[in-house]
């Protein structure tokens, strides 16, 4: 048989990998590989753009053009979409209070001040006011700090009681230093125009290194504003959102009744081959996964209509239906992973976007569609490139073929393919028979948890936190690392990183826009990885072992993008070590590390399929 050039294309949730090999006379030689970010949802025609680019780059590395490729083999990509199912979405409209709870760099003074809000320009009218009233002064950005301080001193000299100040600019310390009678001052309140005047308010500032105690306590708010027990319950989310802040303002604005609307988390209906089980999302991730285990195998999952989980699963079906051209009824959920999570919940009445953290459940689902989806990708690519396209096979099977190119491996072998959207496991016995499983939940779910639990609202930043260690810049020349050691630098760190927790990436230091401590961020990151990967690795291995006993395995090889992570392989190795299993990450073809296993397997399997020999 003559010379043929074959390309294997692995479409993942996060990345698309390509391997190109030349096959001649029964001999195969890999020429090049390339990796790009996946375009669109995995398994949809939007992937074609990324595939084409990856092929061009890989072919260029091999000194070829794409048109010289004789055969392209695609993995049988199944879309996996993750979304959050919250424990409880409660839209609480607090019409009797507004709040500002933030940590400006330099609030002025310390203590608690309670009074009626008044504009600084009205302060000289104090001689017409009753002197037994206390006031919180509101100072907009149009007023100079020295003038404002003089105004407050003058008013207080006339007998007025000024107990606190809310300042728009970063002038808290400057004003405080010029006051004859010290008061707590919260500054950097950008939306000061939303602060209502002539309303009762409380300002609290803690000493450096401390946090506020009165306004973050529901009973403290109740004491300050003389609330009834029912009103205290309604204002509790405000107090919860202020926990951990160094300064805060709460303003009572009696304007009407408290209106509350809640959307319940709902119940999940797990449908198996023989029976069905219902479980409440409120029962938590352990109860949901226990129900899954009792059911044995899942053929579909539905959510209670009109609830949060019902909306999430229906939306997921709808999205996939639009992407694949199928009807929602043709799409079923073949697997899911539930883990406990902390989810930020917005509170109406806040003036600076404050959030309350609620317990919830994060849910990743694997959606089963018909085969036409990936075949549509193949047809579209074939029409565009004019090259024969084959849909190769199940990802895990291709990954195991690629993993066997790791020096020192042989059959029987077990691989864990830890990617962005799914965790796959496959076992090849001594006879070459392969058993595999495909589970929802992997790197993307970890990113989702980090993004949610740190309330970042920035998936790219969460992804960066997931992939890199942290540090805290203590001076221009030294940094505390997250393991407690110190790093001394010959060159000064960038000034904007001073005093900040930073991501130590290959592209330099990225300061984080959050005031959460480095230790807390590290714990959230590691916990998210442990909850997703350790849980899924054990689930996957149990499914492929005939005895369902993980202890009957001896060797496991990790492949996939998440095997490159600086923590996940160690976590998995540590966990599997408890079962006496030797685990490590692969080195595909002896050069690629844990990457390119599926693409390599797709090329290798072309020989078996008669594509080359």
């Amino acid at each position: 048989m003559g010379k043929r050039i074959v390309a294997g294309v692995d479409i993942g949730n996060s990345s698309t990998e390509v391997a190109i090999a030349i096959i001649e006379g029964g001999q195969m030689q890999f020429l090049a590989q390339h990796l790009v970010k996946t375009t669109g949802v995995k398994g949809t025609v939007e992937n074609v753009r990324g595939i084409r680019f990856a092929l061009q780059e890989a072919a260029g590395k091999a000194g070829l053009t794409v048109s010289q490729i004789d055969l392209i083999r695609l993995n049988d990509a199944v879309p996996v979409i993750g979304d959050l199912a919250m424990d409880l979405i409660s839209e609480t409209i607090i019409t009797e209070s507004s709040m500002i709870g933030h940590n400006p760099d330099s609030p002025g003074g310390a203590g608690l001040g309670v009074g009626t809000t008044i504009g600084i320009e009205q302060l000289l009218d104090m001689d017409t006011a009753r002197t037994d009233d206390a006031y919180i002064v509101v100072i907009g950005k149009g007023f100079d700090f020295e003038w404002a301080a003089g105004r407050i001193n003058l008013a207080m000299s006339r007998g007025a009681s000024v107990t606190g100040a809310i300042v728009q600019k970063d002038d808290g310390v400057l004003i405080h230093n010029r006051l004859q009678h010290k008061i707590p001052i919260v500054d950097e309140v950008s939306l000061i125009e939303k602060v209502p005047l002539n309303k009762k308010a409380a300002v609290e500032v803690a000493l450096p290194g401390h946090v506020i105690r009165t306004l973050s306590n529901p009973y403290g708010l109740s004491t300050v504003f003389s609330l009834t027990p029912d009103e205290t319950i309604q204002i509790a989310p405000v107090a919860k959102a202020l926990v951990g802040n160094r300064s805060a303002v709460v303003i009572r604005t009696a304007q009407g009744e408290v209106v509350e609307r809640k959307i319940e988390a709902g119940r999940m209906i797990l449908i198996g081959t023989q029976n069905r089980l219902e479980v409440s999302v409120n029962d938590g991730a352990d109860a949901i996964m226990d129900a899954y285990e009792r059911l044995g195998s899942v053929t579909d999952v539905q959510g209670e209509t009109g609830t949060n989980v019902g909306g999430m699963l229906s939306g997921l079906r709808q999205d996939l239906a639009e992407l694949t051209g199928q009807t929602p009824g043709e799409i079923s959920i073949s697997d899911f992973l539930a883990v406990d999570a902390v989810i930020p919940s917005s509170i109406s009445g806040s003036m600076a976007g404050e959030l309350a953290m609620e317990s919830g459940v994060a849910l990743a689902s694997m959606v089963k569609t018909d085969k036409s989806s990936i075949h549509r990708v193949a047809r579209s690519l074939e029409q565009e490139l004019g090259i024969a396209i084959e849909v190769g096979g199940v990802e895990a099977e291709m990954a195991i073929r690629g993993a066997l190119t790791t020096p020192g491996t042989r059959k029987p072998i077990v691989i864990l393919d830890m990617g962005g959207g799914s965790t796959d496991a496959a076992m090849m016995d001594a006879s070459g028979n392969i058993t595999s499983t495909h589970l929802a939940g992997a790197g993307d779910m970890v990113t989702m948890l980090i993004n949610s639990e740190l309330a970042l609202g920035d998936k790219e930043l969460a992804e960066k936190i997931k992939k890199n260690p942290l540090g805290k810049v203590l001076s221009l020349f030294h940094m505390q690392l997250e393991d407690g050691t110190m790093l001394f630098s010959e060159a000064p760190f960038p000034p904007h990183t001073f005093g900040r927790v930073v991501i130590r990436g290959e592209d330099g230091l990225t300061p984080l826009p959050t005031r959460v401590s480095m230790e807390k961020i590290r714990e959230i990151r590691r916990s998210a990885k442990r909850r997703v990967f350790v849980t899924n690795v054990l689930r996957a291995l149990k499914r492929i072992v005939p005895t369902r006993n993980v202890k009957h395995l001896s060797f496991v090889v990790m492949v996939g993008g998440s095997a490159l992570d600086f923590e996940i392989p160690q976590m998995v190795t540590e966990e599997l070590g408890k079962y006496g299993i030797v685990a490590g990450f692969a080195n595909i073809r002896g050069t690629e590390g844990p990457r390119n296993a599926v693409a390599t397997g797709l090329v290798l399997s072309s020989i078996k399929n008669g594509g080359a020999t």
Side-chain angles (χ1 to χ4, degrees):
M1 179 171 286
K3 181 178 71 175
R4 288 173 64 84
I5 296 174
V6 178
V9 179
D10 173 22
I11 309 166
N13 283 83
S14 302
S15 59
T16 297
E17 294 181 286
V18 167
I20 295 179
I22 182 169
I23 305 170
E24 186 173 18
Q27 299 297 315
M28 176 179 291
Q29 180 187 359
F30 281 88
L31 302 176
Q33 53 283 318
H34 196 71
L35 178 149
V36 299
K37 186 176 174 61
T38 296
T39 51
V41 176
K42 175 182 177 180
T44 62
V45 291
E46 294 173 355
N47 301 155
V48 170
R49 185 159 47 91
I51 295 170
R52 190 180 65 238
F53 181 69
L55 285 169
Q56 288 171 346
E57 292 297 310
K61 289 179 183 177
L64 303 170
T65 62
V66 173
S67 61
Q68 291 178 275
I69 297 173
D70 298 299
L71 175 67
I72 296 172
R73 306 199 75 229
L74 303 181
N75 62 320
D76 190 359
V78 179
V80 179
I81 293 181
D83 203 347
L84 280 174
M86 283 181 60
D87 175 15
L88 179 67
I89 296 176
S90 62
E91 184 181 339
T92 306
I93 304 170
I94 303 168
T95 57
E96 292 193 348
S97 66
S98 298
M99 67 174 190
I100 304 165
H102 69 156
N103 282 320
D105 291 331
S106 55
L112 176 69
V114 180
T116 303
T117 52
I118 186 171
I120 184 71
E121 63 273 34
Q122 279 87 46
L123 207 52
L124 282 187
D125 299 332
M126 292 292 294
D127 51 358
T128 63
R130 291 180 301 167
T131 55
D132 56 345
D133 283 347
Y135 291 91
I136 302 291
V137 182
V138 181
I139 306 171
K141 62 182 179 183
F143 299 100
D144 177 74
F145 63 87
E146 195 154 17
W147 181 88
R151 194 89 161 180
I152 295 172
N153 284 332
L154 180 60
M156 294 177 90
S157 69
R158 294 179 179 178
S161 173
V162 178
T163 56
I166 307 169
V167 183
Q168 189 168 21
K169 293 194 295 186
D170 181 20
D171 289 345
V173 173
L174 295 171
I175 294 174
H176 181 264
N177 289 343
R178 288 160 174 78
L179 294 181
Q180 295 168 357
H181 300 282
K182 305 302 184 184
I183 58 174
I185 302 173
V186 171
D187 62 358
E188 299 179 51
V189 179
S190 57
L191 301 177
I192 204 162
E193 65 276 6
K194 290 190 175 182
V195 175
L197 301 179
N198 303 315
K199 304 298 179 188
K200 189 172 184 181
V203 174
E204 185 175 10
V205 177
L207 291 168
H210 294 256
V211 296
I212 58 171
R213 295 179 58 82
T214 301
L215 300 187
S216 60
N217 175 8
Y219 303 111
L221 287 172
S222 175
T223 304
V224 168
F225 294 109
S226 303
L227 301 178
T228 66
D230 286 341
E231 290 170 334
T232 304
I233 292 172
Q234 298 295 345
I235 207 169
V238 172
K240 189 187 292 185
L242 298 177
V243 171
N245 282 0
R246 191 188 158 198
S247 64
V249 176
V250 175
I251 306 163
R252 191 171 188 201
T253 57
Q255 294 177 349
E257 296 181 354
V258 172
V259 179
E260 183 176 87
R261 182 173 70 88
K262 291 181 179 178
I263 302 173
E264 298 296 334
R267 301 179 69 80
M268 296 174 66
I269 299 102
L270 314 184
I271 303 169
T273 52
Q274 301 292 329
N275 56 354
R276 54 196 286 163
L277 292 174
E278 290 192 19
V279 59
S280 171
V281 174
N282 284 333
D283 291 344
D286 288 345
I288 295 170
M289 297 310 292
D290 285 346
Y292 189 172
E293 288 297 317
R294 290 202 307 276
L295 194 64
S297 62
V298 166
T299 57
D300 197 11
V301 181
Q302 294 176 351
E304 183 182 358
T305 305
T307 65
N308 190 34
V309 70
M312 172 202 160
L313 296 177
S314 297
L316 193 149
R317 281 190 174 82
Q318 187 64 41
D319 290 344
L320 260 293
E322 292 174 2
L323 288 168
T324 62
Q326 297 174 260
T327 65
E330 294 177 288
I331 294 171
S332 59
I333 294 171
S334 59
D335 183 66
F336 67 86
L337 173 65
V339 300
D340 288 321
V342 179
I343 300 170
S345 177
S346 62
I347 299 173
S348 297
S350 68
M351 290 189 174
E354 294 87 352
L355 301 169
M357 303 304 288
E358 302 284 350
S359 62
V361 171
L363 197 63
S365 305
M366 176 169 291
V367 182
K368 185 178 181 182
T369 63
D370 67 13
K371 298 291 183 184
S372 63
S373 178
I374 190 63
H375 285 279
R376 272 196 290 271
V377 178
R379 285 198 298 272
S380 177
L381 191 63
E382 195 167 55
Q383 289 172 0
E384 189 163 321
L385 300 179
I387 299 172
I389 309 289
E390 283 183 3
V391 177
V394 177
E395 281 185 24
E397 294 181 8
M398 297 300 105
I400 210 167
R401 293 181 189 279
L404 280 170
T405 64
T406 297
T409 58
R410 66 179 181 187
K411 295 183 287 187
I413 186 173
V414 173
I415 62 109
L416 283 168
D417 186 357
M418 302 182 295
S422 65
T423 301
D424 304 336
M427 182 172 70
M428 177 182 278
D429 63 21
S431 303
N433 299 313
I434 294 176
T435 307
S436 65
T437 189
H438 196 55
L439 302 181
D444 290 348
M445 191 178 192
V446 173
T447 303
M448 181 174 70
L449 288 169
I450 293 171
N451 190 34
S452 172
E453 298 190 353
L454 288 174
L456 296 172
D458 185 339
K459 284 187 179 179
E460 287 189 9
L461 186 62
E463 180 77 9
K464 212 167 182 178
I465 291 174
K466 180 184 76 175
K467 291 181 176 178
N468 297 285
L470 303 169
K472 182 166 186 179
V473 179
L474 300 179
S475 79
L476 290 178
F477 293 95
H478 83 287
M479 175 194 302
Q480 182 183 353
L481 306 184
E482 63 174 41
D483 62 359
T485 59
M486 288 289 177
L487 174 68
F488 295 92
S489 173
E490 293 184 359
F493 297 119
H496 65 278
T497 64
F498 178 70
R500 306 288 296 274
V501 177
V502 295
I503 301 170
R504 299 172 55 227
E506 293 179 355
D507 56 347
L509 302 179
T510 304
L512 293 176
T514 173
R515 295 183 183 277
V516 180
S517 69
M518 177 171 65
E519 292 75 15
K520 182 67 175 176
I521 298 171
R522 178 177 184 265
E523 174 54 31
I524 288 174
R525 184 193 71 212
R526 290 178 60 83
S527 170
K529 290 176 179 176
R530 199 176 295 112
R531 278 176 281 165
V532 173
F533 279 104
V534 172
T535 303
N536 249 1
V537 162
L538 293 177
R539 275 207 312 148
L541 292 180
K542 284 177 184 174
R543 291 194 181 194
I544 60 167
V545 181
T547 60
R548 296 278 178 177
N549 190 339
V550 177
K551 289 184 177 179
H552 293 164
L553 295 174
S554 299
F555 299 95
V556 170
V557 179
M558 290 175 269
V559 301
S562 294
L564 284 169
D565 187 88
F566 72 105
E567 291 175 314
I568 293 170
Q570 287 81 1
M571 287 181 182
V572 173
T573 299
E574 185 181 9
E575 184 65 25
L576 295 184
K578 298 175 184 174
Y579 299 90
I581 301 172
V582 178
F585 58 82
N587 189 15
I588 307 300
R589 291 186 265 130
T591 57
E592 302 305 311
R595 282 283 192 191
N596 212 253
V598 174
T600 297
L602 284 164
V603 174
L604 291 171
S605 65
S606 69
I607 295 178
K608 180 182 177 183
N609 294 341
T613 59

